């Protein structure tokens, strides 16, 4: 589904993403781990076209989307839930949801379908998003991404700032979405343990480079990697 | 008492025009976080175009429509050609580009139509209504002005509140990057914001032109008061622009009627300072203003 | 103790450097003015009082991060102060100019305190209303301020030791340049002091600055008062050079032109203020000459200078987003890299 080949991103003289290659199939989750500044967010931002790639390619179902505008990439079925959740606090919950599916017109999911996943949102549908708690914002943000019925879901640190109970709930939900909707999920996380618990594949980035690309169990049992990069 | 009623009526109709100007500024501020100092020159150009069309076809309404359409186009072109290039630069650069554009458009108008002001026809009679034997300071044309501005304000409210396009425009204004990630064509929304704003400006131009004269610099005072109205109302709030415009129209009409027109700019200053000391982001603003 | 001694040494070296700058500037300006005719000396004087205002404004806009569309109004305060004191009270030139600085700074206190509560376009709106509203006072109190026609004073007389043939315009240029150099000296030292650093910190991140114990509102108010004082001096010098103060001399366009000058020259640096002053003086006369060098219809000929001026503003902002000084700095950097490259190749 999503194929990244030798992707490289530079910010001026700083190389943020350095020849990264990875693949995510439909219905599977690839976790991208690593410390602050390892290039995880830059990788996602390059995939969705928010920052230009210096070299390499990104393909969706074989189509090269590397040099496309963000809006076009989104129209190829990529949904990116940005770090810090990115809900538009000036709009209501319902407006945020509707916004996610406008380009899909009639084929977009109805807010009702999202409320079935997140009943908490339905209670607050006509409130401005600024009134939501951190966990609710995360739900809204993921729910909003689903409205467009994407095929590829890019999640940037969904656990950031959430209580452990909520983190577990969100992770379980992501697994369920991948299984039931056949989504290809690229999950960027600093919380390596939770991410690996649901992932089919784990990738560790350091200074923009892939330093490990293994089964989750193998990663979790590698003493050296755990100490050097994963912090558990 | 008659004088008070006259001043009130007069304040409402000039206030409606200030409201239209303020709406133009608010739309652009919301879309691109730029104060459009070129707005006065843009609406001056579209009013000249209307004047030329009216003179050659003899139809006021044809000129009226052409003015609105040319505003739409002028706004879109300016955003596409000039503003897009300074959107990522420091915010003051856009201000200077707008000032440059103002100077350029005023000069171009002077080259084409000369610097001598000319008269501009009104849509309806400007003879005040006769009520109980006294003629009031409110004519059929003033009714027209007020009704048109109300219609435009309601139309914009409907667009922003009830349509998907309006939702996308608001999202693009509040958080362009998130909006793009949700598939909103942000660049188009900015262009549309400028186009709609310039159309509201063009409307203000044709509405006010009969009561002043049409010259390259004759719209500047209206624009300044429109700006004050937008700031008083809160730059993020279209309803604020309308209320600010009408409120300022009334206030300045009383000042001008009872204390003399020389004090109008000073009164605008006092009103503005008073409002901003109480509410530093205007009366109806919900979000915090970015630094210019 | 040693650190204190070190910072005192630093302060002394800044002081010496600024004195050197001022001395060099004085020599250059005196020589330049010697070679100029009456008209060009007036232009030099104009550039000098513009510099005084722009330098203060660049501290406010570029260093403290506020905006003002009202500095034309502050210049009016300085100009009327000078004209009233010299014309009505027979004050001498220097005390009258000093009084202009003091009075304008005093006016700057409430305006600056109010301004420090406002942000971005709201501040722009408030200061703009100030620029538009203030000249209306002159109309309201015609007995004091002379109404539309304003007030006039006699031209300053060159001191006798300069010789009987010393031109009035050259003397005016000297006066204005002296004012400009004093502004340069004061601001150079202030910007290289703790106050300058505090202002920059406030501009870059107000919240961080306030967490570091800086009083943000006070720093911004001080910056406003400082720039008001400079505008007052500039306005006073304008009154001396033109020998009058009228409401018409301080329209809103003046305030907008001043802002254009600081942005076009390069925000936040005194060198940028010099470029800005030069552009404000030279650009209009160049565009004028250019427009009149063709034979065009009256409408086109009269408006062409403004059209060119507008085009130059737009073009400059597209080509040099950080002003002329920014462009010069970039060019210097490129030349240096080129030279380093050549040396390395050898």
């Amino acid at each position: 589904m999503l194929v990244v080949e030798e992707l490289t991103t530079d910010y001026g003289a700083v190389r943020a993403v350095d020849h990264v290659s990875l693949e995510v199939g439909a219905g599977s989750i690839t976790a991208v781990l690593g410390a602050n500044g390892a290039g995880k967010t830059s990788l996602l931002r390059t995939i969705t076209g928010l920052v230009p790639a210096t070299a390499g390619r990104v393909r969706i179902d074989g189509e090269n989307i590397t040099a496309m505008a963000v809006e076009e990439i989104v129209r190829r079925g990529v949904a990116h839930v940005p770090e810090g959740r990115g809900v538009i606090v000036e709009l209501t919950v319902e407006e945020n949801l509707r916004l996610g599916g406008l380009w899909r017109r009639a084929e977009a999911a109805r807010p009702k379908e999202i409320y079935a996943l997140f009943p908490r949102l339905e209670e607050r549908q006509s409130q401005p998003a600024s009134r939501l708690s951190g966990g609710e914002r995360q739900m809204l943000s993921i729910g909003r991404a689903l409205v467009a019925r994407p095929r590829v879901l890019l999640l940037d640190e969904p656990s950031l700032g959430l209580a452990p109970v909520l983190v577990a709930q969100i992770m379980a939900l992501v697994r369920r979405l991948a299984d039931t909707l056949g989504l290809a999920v690229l999950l960027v996380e600093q919380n390596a343990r939770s991410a690996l618990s649901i992932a089919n594949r784990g990738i560790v980035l350091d200074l923009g480079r892939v330093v490990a690309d293994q089964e989750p169990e193998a990663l979790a049992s590698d003493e050296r990697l755990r100490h050097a990069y994963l912090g558990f | 008492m008659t004088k008070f009623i006259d001043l009130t009526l007069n304040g409402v109709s000039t206030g409606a025009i200030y409201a239209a100007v303020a709406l133009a500024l608010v739309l652009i501020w919301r879309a691109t976080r730029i104060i459009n100092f070129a707005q006065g020159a843009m609406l001056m150009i579209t009013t000249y175009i209307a004047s030329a069309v009216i003179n050659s076809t003899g139809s006021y309404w044809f000129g009226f429509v052409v003015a609105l359409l040319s505003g739409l186009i002028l706004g879109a072109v300016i955003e596409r050609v000039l503003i897009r290039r300074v959107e990522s630069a420091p915010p003051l650069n856009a201000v200077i580009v707008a000032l440059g554009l103002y100077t350029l458009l005023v000069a171009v108008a002077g080259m084409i139509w000369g610097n001598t002001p000319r008269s501009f026809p009104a849509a309806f009679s400007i003879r005040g209504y006769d009520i109980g034997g006294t003629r009031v300071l409110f004519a059929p044309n003033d009714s027209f002005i007020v009704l048109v501005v109300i219609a435009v304000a309601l139309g914009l409210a409907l667009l922003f509140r009830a349509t998907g396009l309006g939702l996308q425009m608001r999202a693009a204004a509040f958080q362009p990057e998130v909006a793009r990630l949700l598939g909103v064509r942000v660049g188009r929304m900015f262009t549309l914001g400028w186009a709609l704003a310039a159309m509201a400006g063009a409307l203000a131009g044709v509405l006010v032109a009969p009561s002043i004269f049409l010259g390259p610099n004759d719209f500047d005072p209206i624009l300044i008061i429109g700006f004050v109205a937008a700031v008083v109302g809160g730059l993020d709030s279209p309803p604020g622009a309308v209320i600010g415009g009408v409120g300022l129209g009334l206030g300045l009409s009383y000042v001008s009627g009872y204390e003399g027109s020389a004090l109008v700019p000073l009164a605008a200053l006092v009103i503005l300072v008073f409002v901003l000391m109480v509410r530093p982001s205007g009366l109806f603003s919900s979000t915090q203003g970015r630094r210019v | 103790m040693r650190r204190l001694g070190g910072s005192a040494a630093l302060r002394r070296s800044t002081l010496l450097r600024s004195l050197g700058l001022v001395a060099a500037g004085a020599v250059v300006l005196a020589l330049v003015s010697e070679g100029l005719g009456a008209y060009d000396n007036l232009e030099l004087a104009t550039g000098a009082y513009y510099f005084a205002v722009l330098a203060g404004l660049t501290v406010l806009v570029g260093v403290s991060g506020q905006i003002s569309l009202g500095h034309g109004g502050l210049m009016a305060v300085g100009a009327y102060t000078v004209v009233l004191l010299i014309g009505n009270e027979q004050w001498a030139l220097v005390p009258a100019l000093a009084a202009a600085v003091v009075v304008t700074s005093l006016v700057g206190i409430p305006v600056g305190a109010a301004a420090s509560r406002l942000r971005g376009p709201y501040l722009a709106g408030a200061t703009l209303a100030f620029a538009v509203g203030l000249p209306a006072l002159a109309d309201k109190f015609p007995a004091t301020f002379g109404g539309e026609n304003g007030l006039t004073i006699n031209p300053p007389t060159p001191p006798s030791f300069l010789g009987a043939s010393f031109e009035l315009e050259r003397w005016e240029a000297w006066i204005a340049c002296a004012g400009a150099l004093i502004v340069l000296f004061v601001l150079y030292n202030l910007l290289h002091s703790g106050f300058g650093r505090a202002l920059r910190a406030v501009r870059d991140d107000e919240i961080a600055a306030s967490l570091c114990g800086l009083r943000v509102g006070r720093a911004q108010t001080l910056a406003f008062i400082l720039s008001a004082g400079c505008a007052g001096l500039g306005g006073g010098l304008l009154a001396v050079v033109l020998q009058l103060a009228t409401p018409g001399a301080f329209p809103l366009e003046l305030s907008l032109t001043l802002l254009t000058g600081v942005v076009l020259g390069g925000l936040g640096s005194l060198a940028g203020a010099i470029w800005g002053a030069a552009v404000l003086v030279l650009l209009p006369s160049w565009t004028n000459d250019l427009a009149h060098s063709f034979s065009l219809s009256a409408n086109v000929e009269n408006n062409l200078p403004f059209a060119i001026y507008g085009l130059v503003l737009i073009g400059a902002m597209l080509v040099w987003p950080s002003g002329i000084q920014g462009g010069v700095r970039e060019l210097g950097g490129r030349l240096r890299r080129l030279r380093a490259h050549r040396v390395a190749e050898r």
Side-chain angles (χ1 to χ4, degrees):
Chain A
M1 182 69 65
L2 171 71
V3 180
V4 174
E5 294 166 358
E6 301 282 315
L7 196 64
T8 303
T9 311
D10 294 322
Y11 295 129
V14 180
R15 178 147 290 187
V17 178
D18 196 352
H19 294 91
V20 170
S21 298
L22 59 88
E23 270 190 55
V24 194
S28 90
I29 300 174
T30 299
V32 179
L33 312 170
N36 249 340
K40 305 187 299 293
T41 295
S42 299
L43 173 64
L44 291 196
R45 291 173 67 81
T46 314
I47 292 175
T48 28
L50 286 172
V51 284
T54 315
R57 266 181 308 278
V58 181
R59 285 181 216 275
I60 301 281
D61 273 344
E63 187 186 7
N64 186 356
I65 61 161
T66 320
M68 281 185 189
V70 182
E71 297 92 322
E72 295 308 318
I73 293 176
V74 171
R75 279 167 175 72
R76 299 295 185 282
V78 179
H80 180 167
V81 178
E83 195 178 1
R85 308 192 180 101
V87 302
I88 301 182
V89 294
E90 290 91 347
L91 304 180
T92 66
V93 170
E94 174 115 7
E95 283 173 333
N96 266 287
L97 286 178
R98 271 179 46 216
L99 186 65
L102 282 174
W103 65 268
R104 274 247 145 170
R105 295 170 200 242
E107 285 152 50
R110 308 265 155 257
K112 273 226 159 60
E113 298 172 47
I114 306 301
Y115 294 145
L117 282 173
F118 306 104
R120 287 295 292 278
L121 294 181
E122 186 161 23
E123 295 163 24
R124 297 175 163 258
Q125 54 177 312
S126 52
Q127 292 185 9
S130 55
R131 300 244 195 99
L132 299 186
S133 70
E136 289 164 339
R137 285 183 195 207
Q138 188 60 58
M139 292 176 201
L140 177 56
S141 202
I142 295 176
R144 190 180 60 185
L146 296 176
V147 175
R149 302 195 194 281
R151 296 178 295 166
V152 176
L153 182 62
L154 311 179
L155 289 172
D156 199 348
E157 304 267 9
S159 77
L160 195 73
L162 296 188
V165 174
L166 278 173
V167 173
Q169 278 176 19
I170 296 267
M171 291 299 165
L173 174 83
V174 171
R175 182 70 254 175
R176 195 147 48 94
L177 291 174
D179 292 338
T180 56
L181 302 175
L183 276 174
V185 180
L186 192 59
L187 170 65
V188 157
E189 262 301 338
Q190 279 202 64
N191 188 339
R193 205 199 289 254
S194 333
L196 288 176
S197 71
I198 59 161
N200 303 87
R201 190 86 191 163
I203 287 176
V204 180
L205 287 187
D206 183 44
L207 299 174
R209 264 189 299 267
V210 177
V211 292
D213 181 354
Q214 289 170 344
E215 302 284 310
E217 297 75 23
L219 271 186
S221 57
D222 187 327
E223 198 74 16
R224 188 188 59 87
L225 276 176
R226 272 174 45 185
H227 276 298
Y229 302 113
L230 306 181
F232 72 94
Chain B
M1 193 59 204
T2 333
K3 187 176 183 187
F4 179 78
I5 293 168
D6 271 350
L7 291 176
T8 307
L9 291 171
N10 179 53
V12 170
S13 72
T14 49
I17 289 164
Y18 297 148
V21 174
L23 270 176
L25 294 169
V26 164
L27 286 176
I28 285 179
W29 172 258
R30 276 168 63 111
T32 48
R33 304 278 127 175
I34 289 168
I35 295 292
N36 183 16
F37 284 100
Q39 185 67 66
M42 286 162 62
L43 66 88
M44 175 270 296
I45 293 277
T46 54
T47 311
Y48 263 113
I49 293 174
S51 167
V53 171
I54 293 171
N55 283 340
S56 59
T57 65
S59 159
Y60 175 87
W61 295 109
F62 194 50
F64 185 84
V65 172
V66 168
L68 298 195
L69 288 181
S70 53
L72 209 63
I73 295 166
L74 188 65
V77 168
I78 287 172
E79 198 276 335
R80 270 284 146 108
V81 176
L82 284 182
I83 303 301
R84 187 146 301 185
R85 290 163 210 271
V86 285
E87 261 158 16
S88 54
L92 269 178
N93 290 26
V95 173
I96 305 303
V97 167
L99 288 175
L101 186 63
Y102 167 86
T103 317
L104 177 65
L105 290 178
V106 168
V108 167
M111 287 183 193
I112 303 176
W113 294 295
N115 288 13
T116 328
R118 54 176 81 176
S119 66
F120 188 92
F124 296 97
S125 163
I126 52 168
R127 272 172 62 95
Y129 290 109
D130 214 356
I131 296 176
T134 46
R135 195 175 295 287
V136 292
L137 212 65
F138 197 79
N141 196 53
D142 294 306
S143 312
F144 170 66
I145 290 175
V146 172
L147 288 177
V148 169
V149 173
I150 289 176
V152 167
L154 287 181
L156 285 173
L158 211 62
L159 171 71
F160 281 124
R161 292 284 146 198
T163 69
L165 187 63
L167 179 58
Q168 294 187 57
M169 289 180 74
R170 282 154 68 206
F174 291 132
Q175 292 220 29
E177 191 174 289
V178 174
R180 294 183 78 196
L181 287 178
L182 298 173
V184 177
R185 297 190 195 274
V186 170
R188 262 185 225 175
M189 297 303 130
F190 288 173
T191 310
L192 188 59
W194 271 76
L196 285 178
M199 191 174 77
L203 179 73
V206 232
L207 292 180
V208 78
S211 48
I212 57 174
F213 273 87
L214 171 56
N217 283 309
D218 287 72
F219 294 102
D220 296 354
I222 285 129
L223 203 85
I224 290 167
I225 296 187
F227 178 44
V228 171
V231 169
V232 165
L235 276 160
D236 274 306
S237 161
V242 174
I243 296 170
V246 175
L248 216 57
L250 284 172
L252 296 183
S253 175
Y254 297 139
V255 170
S256 160
Y258 291 120
E259 299 290 328
S261 59
L263 270 190
V264 164
L266 206 60
L269 167 69
V270 171
I271 294 172
L272 182 75
V273 168
F274 180 75
V275 169
L276 287 184
M277 285 305 104
V278 182
R279 306 251 324 164
S281 303
L283 291 174
F284 297 94
S285 209
S286 52
T287 52
Q288 251 228 316
R290 191 181 75 167
R291 300 156 137 217
V292 155
Chain C
M1 267 330 271
R2 260 167 74 190
R3 268 194 63 207
L4 264 180
S7 87
L10 196 69
R11 227 175 294 140
R12 210 173 308 125
S13 87
T14 303
L15 192 67
L16 285 177
R17 218 172 324 135
S18 64
L19 281 173
L21 263 177
V22 168
V27 171
V28 169
L29 287 171
L31 288 176
V32 166
S33 131
E34 204 57 42
L36 295 177
Y39 176 79
D40 290 327
N41 261 318
L42 270 187
E43 297 256 272
L44 179 62
T46 310
Y49 67 67
Y50 270 143
F51 170 79
V53 187
L54 294 184
L57 192 57
T58 212
V59 169
L60 182 73
V61 181
V63 184
S64 146
Q66 293 174 281
I67 186 176
S68 170
L69 302 182
H71 267 50
L74 291 169
M75 284 178 76
V77 173
Y80 273 97
T81 307
V82 163
V83 170
L84 284 171
L85 288 177
I86 294 182
N88 292 359
E89 314 290 329
Q90 280 76 44
W91 281 37
L93 183 67
V94 173
L97 284 171
V101 175
V102 172
V103 170
T104 318
S105 304
L106 288 176
V107 172
I109 293 174
V111 181
S116 72
R117 292 185 37 144
L118 300 176
R119 295 289 164 267
Y122 298 97
L123 181 54
T127 48
L128 175 130
F130 178 76
V132 176
L134 201 68
L137 276 180
D139 287 336
K140 184 66 186 170
F141 302 106
T144 320
F145 298 116
E148 286 275 342
N149 296 327
L151 303 165
T152 53
I153 48 170
N154 294 323
T157 37
S160 48
F161 64 83
L162 287 169
S165 63
F166 199 86
E167 283 172 37
L168 170 64
E169 288 81 6
R170 183 164 301 147
W171 178 234
E172 288 170 346
W174 281 30
I175 295 171
C177 288
L181 290 171
I182 291 171
V183 168
L184 179 68
F185 174 77
V186 172
L187 291 186
Y188 187 92
N189 283 291
L190 269 177
L191 286 182
H192 289 85
S193 71
F195 177 66
R197 276 190 297 280
L199 279 186
R200 275 185 280 265
V202 166
R203 170 195 63 186
D204 293 337
D205 191 337
E206 273 184 35
I207 295 168
S210 70
L211 288 177
C212 292
L214 287 172
R215 278 186 271 181
V216 170
R218 210 182 63 157
Q220 287 179 332
T221 310
L222 278 176
F224 199 98
I225 296 168
L226 184 69
S227 79
C230 294
L233 180 61
L237 291 170
L238 175 146
V240 172
V241 172
L242 300 179
Q243 288 115 46
L244 87 157
T246 68
F250 307 97
L252 177 60
E253 286 79 18
L254 176 64
S255 296
L256 298 179
T257 304
L258 293 171
L259 189 67
T260 304
V262 286
V263 178
L264 210 57
L267 269 182
S269 81
L270 295 172
I274 298 178
W275 288 115
V279 168
L280 292 191
V281 173
L282 296 178
L283 189 57
S285 63
W286 282 345
T287 53
N288 238 339
D289 293 348
L290 191 66
H292 294 290
S293 61
F294 308 109
S295 54
L296 300 160
S297 75
N299 272 349
V300 175
E301 184 170 309
N302 291 335
N303 285 297
L304 192 58
F306 298 103
I308 299 173
Y309 183 75
L311 281 175
V312 168
L313 287 195
I314 296 171
M317 280 295 99
L318 297 185
V319 180
W320 298 307
S322 40
I324 299 176
Q325 180 60 18
V328 168
R329 219 176 277 151
E330 198 180 301
L331 196 71
R334 214 178 291 165
L335 285 178
R336 231 172 291 132
R337 271 198 301 277
L338 203 69
R339 196 180 303 157
H341 204 68
R342 285 221 186 112
V343 170
E345 271 179 2
R346 258 182 231 160

